[in-house]
Amino acid sequence: MTTGVHTSGRAPLDKKVGVVMGAGPGIGRAAALALANAGASVVVAARNLERLETLACELTDQTGQLIIPLEADLGDLTSCKTLIAETEERFGRLDVLVNVATGGGPNTPIIDADWDGWRRAFELNVIGNLELSRLAAKIMMQHGGGSIIQIGTFGTHSRPVRQGAYTSTKEALLSASQTLAKELGPRNIRVNMVTPGYTTGPNLDSLFAGVAQRTGESVGEVSQRLAKTAALRGHVDPEDIAAAVLFFAGPGGARITGVELPVTAGQR
């Protein structure tokens, strides 16, 4: 993957600080790696501290940047506050926030909805993400601006059955983020969303296994069938999502805010 270094030799995020919330395998890891390769110091955050410590060591070895693991829970607003406070305490600033962490919600038809499950999904995917966003923004205001990047879902466009809770939360997050972009724009803080299509990794493997069980296909057949529905005839990789994150975080996205960028291989 490209490091994103300008021809002048200076990394685009040199001396910047980023937080990746939900820095597990897949998109979170790829996003943290992209920010670090672009010159940023990065806080990787999630609930599993042991896994984060391993990730931080790996990314530090690969990039030479300072990678700090911090345990945090998106569903706990106090934990969100502690994450941002510890980031400011360690680095004195925060320039980029990438909200990858998410919760799926109940996988049932709306007619059979478990409203407690819906509430939990909204608490995680909307309230938790917005809490992190506003806490980060308050620090960014003190240092000339910054970039907040939300991760959406292609389900808000395809409207898959049985996923109403999850897609509703991401639609709400997009709407709130676009409002936040207008509110924070005068302070030079940009808020955008990257929306992945079918993204390779354990979560996609699990999804395809579930489809295969219902249809009688093999997992490979499911993957190939759905790949053919994309204009580019394939799925996207975590690194593709990370490239879009890096664009919004860096100078290339300096005049862009309040937009959703689908990275879907042309999935319709």
Side-chain angles (χ1 to χ4, degrees), residues 20 22-33 55 100 199-203 237-239 241-242:
V20 178
I27 293 173
R29 183 188 189 282
L33 178 60
L55 175 61
V100 182
T199 306
T200 58
N203 290 340
D237 295 320
E239 291 74 19
I241 310 305

Side-chain angles (χ1 to χ4, degrees), residues 197-267:
Y198 291 122
T199 306
T200 58
N203 290 340
L204 188 63
D205 293 342
S206 178
L207 174 64
F208 287 170
V211 173
Q213 188 175 25
R214 293 194 298 271
T215 63
E217 300 169 279
S218 70
V219 172
E221 288 171 338
V222 172
S223 178
Q224 291 175 12
R225 173 168 60 81
L226 292 176
K228 290 177 181 178
T229 65
L232 295 178
R233 299 298 190 268
H235 308 308
V236 300
D237 295 320
E239 291 74 19
D240 299 317
I241 310 305
V245 167
L246 184 59
F247 170 72
F248 281 133
R255 306 304 295 172
I256 301 173
T257 194
V259 305
E260 178 193 20
L261 176 60
V263 183
T264 64
Q267 189 72 241

Side-chain angles (χ1 to χ4, degrees), residues 104-109 161-163 214:
N107 187 21
T108 57
V161 297
R162 305 176 70 90
Q163 294 184 30
R214 293 194 298 271

Side-chain angles (χ1 to χ4, degrees), residues 58-133:
E58 291 175 355
L59 297 185
T60 296
D61 288 344
Q62 288 184 50
T63 67
Q65 295 297 120
L66 179 60
I67 313 293
I68 299 293
L70 292 178
E71 185 177 5
D73 183 354
L74 189 64
D76 183 340
L77 299 187
T78 299
S79 178
C80 293
K81 184 175 182 179
T82 299
L83 168 62
I84 300 302
E86 288 190 12
T87 299
E88 183 180 29
E89 181 179 350
R90 288 172 181 259
F91 293 101
R93 62 184 300 131
L94 174 55
D95 304 281
V96 180
L97 172 66
V98 187
N99 283 321
V100 182
T102 190
N107 187 21
T108 57
I110 293 176
I111 197 170
D112 299 320
D114 167 15
W115 296 127
D116 287 339
W118 277 62
R119 289 187 186 94
R120 179 59 176 168
F122 270 88
E123 287 172 359
L124 286 169
N125 299 338
V126 183
I127 303 301
N129 277 308
L130 292 177
E131 176 71 355
L132 278 178
S133 298

